[in-house]
Amino acid sequence: MKIIVHNDKCQGHARCWAMAPHIFDLDDEGYIKPGDIEVAEADEKLAWKGAKSCPERALEIEK
Amino acid sequence: METFATSPIPAHVPLAMVGDFSLFSSPGMQPTPNGDPQAAAAVVHEGPRIFYSPVNTRDGRGTWVITRAQDQRRVLQDPETFSSHRSIFASALGESWPMIPLELDPPDHGKFRSLLNPLLSPKRVMALESAVRERAVFLIDRIAAAGTSCHVMEDFAFPFAVNIFLRFLGLPDDRLDEFVTWANELLHGDNVQRPAAARTIIAFIDELAAERRKRPVDDFMSFLVQSKIDDRPLTDTEIRGTGVLLFVAGLDTVAAAIGFDLNYLARHPQDQEMLRGEPSRIVLAAEELLRAYPTVQMIRVATKDIDFEGAPIRKGDYVSCATMIANRDPLEFPHPEKIDLTREDNRHTAFAYGPHRCLGSHLARREIVVGLEEWLKRIPPFRIKEGTSPVTFGGHVFGIENLILDWS
Ligand code: HEM
Ligand code: SF4
């Protein structure tokens, strides 16, 4: 599973990070770092929840 | 309490699109004993997705009202069309400087956000946590030692929020009472108290900035006076606009959230029980309480004519995105009227959507969670004190007063 990160939409709510800090890495201002995220199989459920928690819809799940 | 000028409905607004709902004057919005203004605002979901409310700001102006969360996202994520440039604070004084970053639009907005974001980032807030907890414990222990009832806003919510703000600014606690009074008069005072409090706060911020320019220390104001934007130092007006905003943004909102939360828990002993038994649930519960009891109405100004879901919005029109309305949108939240402290998938808009997402959201969340954790740990099962009624009100920022809890 892969998470496509739309940085232009990220506003730094950090809800993804609150769900799974080891999957969603934030920069010093608190916005998600650029680059799509390859998710390890063991992390899929958590990553899915994290992506779904973004209020701005900045994280797109690609199966 | 408030007096409204009656504003004529602009000619471009079709009469069929005029609604009679107002966050200031509809049922439940005026001071109401045992009221529930957020639930009262949800009546708009029986109506259209957008309508025109002829009197929907403090100074009696009309606004378009966007009811659906999805449409509010569209408005708030599009600052080019829906601007934040309004100078609300200054215009009440006959001046026109913006509060920063609240009343700036991109690209200037982003420059100030980049400057301020690291100060209140999620990681920075983790470092502030122990000071927040220490304050909560101090205040609640004092309440518990003093008896079996308390005035939540005066004894806990306000001093807690103001104190953390003072620490953030790097000021000693001895001015706490003064600050609480200013904040109260600014937000809820009458037409004389409000501008007077605004001037006092401005003078205080100006004075503090001047002092820190002369003798910088390790605090927020010193950081601000030494900062640069576009390779130049901030102007006095920019420093004032930023300082004043932080003052008004983080006090009342946090205090009101804590007040509404404890009011809810006082009336729902089973939820109290659940959180007391399993404190690890408080983090999730706090999100649901933020969804159910958000306090802020956001206003944007149209920068051009645009037809929005059938509404002819014209340049200069005000557009209201009320968080309490979006957060009770049935298309976004199944059974929005049901307050379920175990609700997951809760992308509420208490802290806004779009570039103006609350700068203090990470700190505010921590304050609320820590406040509830320590309260439930230290105060036995509590209820609204018999014979008393908390008074709620709507408006630009919703609030609650006279919240007296009892655990005798
Ligand atoms: C539960 C408490 C709080 C709530 C519900 C809340 C809500 C909001 C909302 C809805 C906005 C967007 C306003 C708009 O776009 O027109 C906002 C902006 C802002 N808030 Fe908060 N807030 C809270 C606490 C705080 C705290 C504790 C601070 C400061 C430490 C703070 C600082 C700010 C600032 C600086 C902005 C302007 C951000 C910008 O324009 O880019 N807030 N807040
Ligand atoms: S939840 Fe969304 S907006 Fe918030 S940091 Fe993550 S990607 Fe950005």
Side-chain angles (χ1 to χ4, degrees), chain B residues 194-209:
Chain B
R194 274 207 314 268
R199 290 200 188 284
T200 310
I201 293 166
I202 291 169
F204 168 77
I205 297 284
D206 285 353
E207 200 181 304
L208 182 65

Side-chain angles (χ1 to χ4, degrees), chain A residues 11-13 29 52 56-57, chain B residues 77 117 332 347 352 354 357:
Chain A
Q11 304 294 355
H13 291 261
E29 287 191 39
K52 284 283 178 200
E56 308 286 346
R57 312 324 193 235
Chain B
Q77 290 178 339
N117 276 328
E332 187 95 350
R347 293 183 274 187
R357 187 268 310 160

